[in-house]
Amino acid sequence: MADTQKLLPQFDAWFRARNWQPRAHQTAFWQAARGGHDALLIAPTGGGKTLAGFMPSLENLVSNGSTGKLHSLYMSPLKALAVDIQRNLMQPVEELALDITIETRSGDTPQNRKTRQKQNPPDILLTTPEQLALMLSWPEADDYFAALDTIIIDELHALAPNKRGDLLALGLARLARLAPKAKRLGLSATVADKQALRRFLTPQDKGMEEAILIEGKPGAPPALSILDTQERLPWGSHTARHAMADVLAAIEGADTSLVFVNTRSQAEMVFRELWVLNESGLEIALHHGSLAPERRRKVEAAMAAGQLRAVVCTSTLDLGIDWGAVDLVIHVGAPKGASRLAQRIGRANHRFDEASAALLVPSNRFEVLECKAARESVAAGEQDGTMMRTGGLDVLAQHIFGTACHAPFHPDSLYEEVCRAAPYHDLPRAVFDRIVDFVATGGYALKTYDRYARLRQEKDGSYRLAHPRLATRYRMNVGTIVEAPMLEVRLTRPKKGKRPISGGRVLGEMEEYFLTALAPGDTFVFAGETLRLEAVRDTEALVSRAYHADPKVPTYQGGKFPISTHLAERVRAMLSDPKSWRDLPPQVAQWLAMQQEFSALPKKDTLLVESFARGVRYYMTAYPFEGRLAHQTLGMLLTRRMEHMGARPMGFVANDYGLAVWGLRDIGLMVEQEKLTLEALFAQDMLGDDLEAWLDESALMKRTFRDCAMISGLIEKNMPGHEKTGRQVTFSADLIFDVLRSHEPDHILLQAARADAATGLLDIGRLGAMLARIEGKLMLKRLSHISPLAVSLLMEMGKEPVRGAADDELLGEAESRHDNLVREATQGLEAGGVEAL
């Protein structure tokens, strides 16, 4: 154990007063930082990463004093994390009476404070990648960052693999030019690809020394259990309503709990169900990203003060939050990935040597298998996800635009700077030049329109802003997080017979498509309350409090994580090994036995395909276990191929485990009659011409293009004096998309959108690997009725329509109720001695 004398005396005394000793990885990290080296610290939750990251800055400021300039810049992926870090850092600063200023800056920060921070920066600024990009666009950025000594990047593993990481990497490349002596300190949880994070942290110059890697020892293994409810476990629901009494009992048995869910709509539902059951009046709060900042901060402060027994939350509280009173994490629904689960478990008992306690609450029988796989994966130390990606061209366009807002630039020097960012290290010069031309003119098909002329080229080859007002528009739209169109939800007190009065308290934001589908008088749940819609005006939804027994639960686009590759492999292995069922709840093992008796169970490397009739429709189900995104893409391509083969498909549903396609022809019979083959239906060539043809006419491609257009700055949602509605943004994006497809199909932004669709919403890589894995390993089961596994698929509410010969037939047929599906699946099995649970 390292000697605490390596710290300055006042910090040494502060440690000793708490009976603390610096851990070996902390002292090694401090030594690297004191030597001016870039360093990456990888340690488990509770390993003191935050203190390790900030101690060099605190010591330097105590030893040398403040210069009145920004000394240290802390980058966080979450606003809540930055606020929590500030609260924890102020403890030693205030107790030791240090003359050090620490402040946060995010989109929630009041404008007057941002203005003061620009004129009089704190010693340490805690901020986000978006705010860094905005600050780098200031004309005064050179002076503002000139004295920067340290850049601390927290939860680096959560930033590096996405577009926010691209934006951060480009910002780091710019800071390397403005403050070349500033060292980079990365903090990360355990990851699979450590070298990728080292590359991300280090400027990609020839001969540049890589960041020093320092790893902490593993902490205590978590105490992870799975709820074995006495209630009837649903076959395919995602609500977990059956388990709310068990969840409340777990909250009552703990001091303080975090109840994690995967979506905002699920957070609202779980919070409401718990309050209905909460006869003891336990203090339970709600926290998700659509709530007003004031409400989120109030919950965070109450949690830090120990005033709450539980918080129902989403990923807004995933990372790094240090609330020592939390002794239990409850995860409602399957976690979808081992890394995400480990991160969330770490919020309980935020101490290195103590086991974190967590309870997994499956929503349905499939999720029991996934939770068991997740528990095994966490115990084995498996990590999900890819750490590195090729940088997005739309993000690069935004960065080039922001660079011009700062000052004129020459393409040669900017290209060299961009290539120092790890995601763009291999960027071809020709592609860079096309992006510069796009930012300057909009590209060949748009250059005749003045509105797309953002840069002007000078005689010396440099570029400058075409007009100073463009800088304001850039700063109003900076960032890579593109959410669905939102409306502010404002609380009013309408008088009978009169129009609602605007100007009340803002509760948060909700997606426009949900609110505009409601009629005045409809009730819904939001911010933990039941609300009545009074009116929608411009960008606001005016609501009042209501008391309705059955309000609607809002739905949100996005936010659904697909099951990870590691967990999917474990679930497939579990299904193919009946010996592993002994650890499953009896009703789940019984369910699998029913499936095995009536149909078959998917083999680890074989694709099970079933066909059966329901009413006048024929169904085909398949179980690849490759995640919702890959299955949705497979469904789209299969229905297209089936239409060409004369199978007359009508639509499909997909979940994380499989997909079901329905239509007017019996696929099983067509296979038996040799009118088609499963090998042809699931051939890998569907990812060629079929994919390209479908993408060209897909609404998904337009949606992806809209996101790229907004990130690149081609379309701006926020304008001085007003904000575009979601419909206006979509109309503009669709119009440009159609123009480019017709007149410049190789436009660089269309290329960026196709790449995004392939790696993101479509999950083409994973689908391609699955098609290769099952080639020649297809098993068809023709059934007399729906199988137990297929019930969960037909319970899915969302359907993708398929245009074709069956498009206008049977449109009015309603879906059978869930209990009818279960009865159908179990018919004939009870007589055989299998209990239908």
Side-chain angles (χ1 to χ4, degrees), residues 598 611-613 782-786 827:
F598 176 63
S611 68
F612 55 88
R782 289 194 68 200
L783 307 176
S784 58
H785 55 77
I786 185 173
Q827 61 181 295

Short mmCIF file of all heavy atoms in Angstrom, two decimals, residues 598 611-613 782-786 827:
data_model
loop_
_atom_site.label_atom_id
_atom_site.label_comp_id
_atom_site.label_asym_id
_atom_site.label_seq_id
_atom_site.Cartn_x
_atom_site.Cartn_y
_atom_site.Cartn_z
N PHE A 598 -44.20 -29.87 -27.99
CA PHE A 598 -45.10 -29.54 -29.10
C PHE A 598 -44.35 -29.21 -30.38
O PHE A 598 -44.76 -29.57 -31.48
CB PHE A 598 -46.00 -28.37 -28.70
CG PHE A 598 -46.90 -27.90 -29.80
CD1 PHE A 598 -47.87 -28.75 -30.33
CD2 PHE A 598 -46.77 -26.63 -30.33
CE1 PHE A 598 -48.69 -28.32 -31.36
CE2 PHE A 598 -47.59 -26.20 -31.35
CZ PHE A 598 -48.56 -27.05 -31.87
N SER A 611 -44.20 -22.82 -38.62
CA SER A 611 -45.32 -22.30 -39.40
C SER A 611 -46.61 -22.86 -38.84
O SER A 611 -46.67 -24.01 -38.42
CB SER A 611 -45.17 -22.67 -40.88
OG SER A 611 -45.33 -24.06 -41.07
N PHE A 612 -47.64 -22.02 -38.78
CA PHE A 612 -48.94 -22.44 -38.27
C PHE A 612 -49.99 -21.45 -38.75
O PHE A 612 -49.67 -20.34 -39.21
CB PHE A 612 -48.94 -22.53 -36.74
CG PHE A 612 -48.51 -21.26 -36.05
CD1 PHE A 612 -49.43 -20.26 -35.73
CD2 PHE A 612 -47.18 -21.06 -35.71
CE1 PHE A 612 -49.02 -19.10 -35.11
CE2 PHE A 612 -46.76 -19.90 -35.09
CZ PHE A 612 -47.68 -18.90 -34.79
N ALA A 613 -51.24 -21.83 -38.62
CA ALA A 613 -52.35 -20.98 -39.04
C ALA A 613 -53.10 -20.47 -37.81
O ALA A 613 -53.19 -21.16 -36.79
CB ALA A 613 -53.30 -21.76 -39.94
N ARG A 782 -43.73 -27.60 -38.92
CA ARG A 782 -45.11 -27.25 -39.27
C ARG A 782 -46.01 -27.65 -38.11
O ARG A 782 -46.02 -28.81 -37.70
CB ARG A 782 -45.55 -27.95 -40.55
CG ARG A 782 -44.87 -27.43 -41.81
CD ARG A 782 -45.61 -27.93 -43.04
NE ARG A 782 -46.95 -27.31 -43.15
CZ ARG A 782 -47.95 -27.80 -43.87
NH1 ARG A 782 -47.77 -28.93 -44.56
NH2 ARG A 782 -49.11 -27.19 -43.93
N LEU A 783 -46.76 -26.67 -37.58
CA LEU A 783 -47.53 -26.89 -36.36
C LEU A 783 -49.02 -26.74 -36.63
O LEU A 783 -49.43 -26.05 -37.58
CB LEU A 783 -47.10 -25.89 -35.28
CG LEU A 783 -45.60 -25.81 -34.97
CD1 LEU A 783 -45.32 -24.70 -33.95
CD2 LEU A 783 -45.08 -27.15 -34.47
N SER A 784 -49.81 -27.35 -35.75
CA SER A 784 -51.26 -27.24 -35.88
C SER A 784 -51.79 -25.96 -35.27
O SER A 784 -52.92 -25.54 -35.57
CB SER A 784 -51.93 -28.44 -35.19
OG SER A 784 -51.54 -28.50 -33.81
N HIS A 785 -51.00 -25.35 -34.41
CA HIS A 785 -51.41 -24.07 -33.80
C HIS A 785 -50.16 -23.38 -33.24
O HIS A 785 -49.04 -23.89 -33.34
CB HIS A 785 -52.46 -24.29 -32.70
CG HIS A 785 -52.03 -25.25 -31.62
ND1 HIS A 785 -51.15 -24.91 -30.63
CD2 HIS A 785 -52.36 -26.56 -31.39
CE1 HIS A 785 -50.97 -25.94 -29.82
NE2 HIS A 785 -51.69 -26.97 -30.28
N ILE A 786 -50.36 -22.24 -32.65
CA ILE A 786 -49.24 -21.43 -32.14
C ILE A 786 -48.46 -22.20 -31.08
O ILE A 786 -49.04 -22.97 -30.30
CB ILE A 786 -49.79 -20.10 -31.56
CG1 ILE A 786 -48.64 -19.19 -31.13
CG2 ILE A 786 -50.75 -20.35 -30.40
CD1 ILE A 786 -49.12 -17.80 -30.71
N GLN A 827 -53.19 -25.97 -25.95
CA GLN A 827 -54.21 -26.97 -26.25
C GLN A 827 -53.55 -28.31 -26.61
O GLN A 827 -52.59 -28.37 -27.35
CB GLN A 827 -55.11 -26.50 -27.40
CG GLN A 827 -54.39 -26.24 -28.70
CD GLN A 827 -55.34 -25.74 -29.79
OE1 GLN A 827 -56.22 -26.47 -30.22
NE2 GLN A 827 -55.13 -24.50 -30.22
#
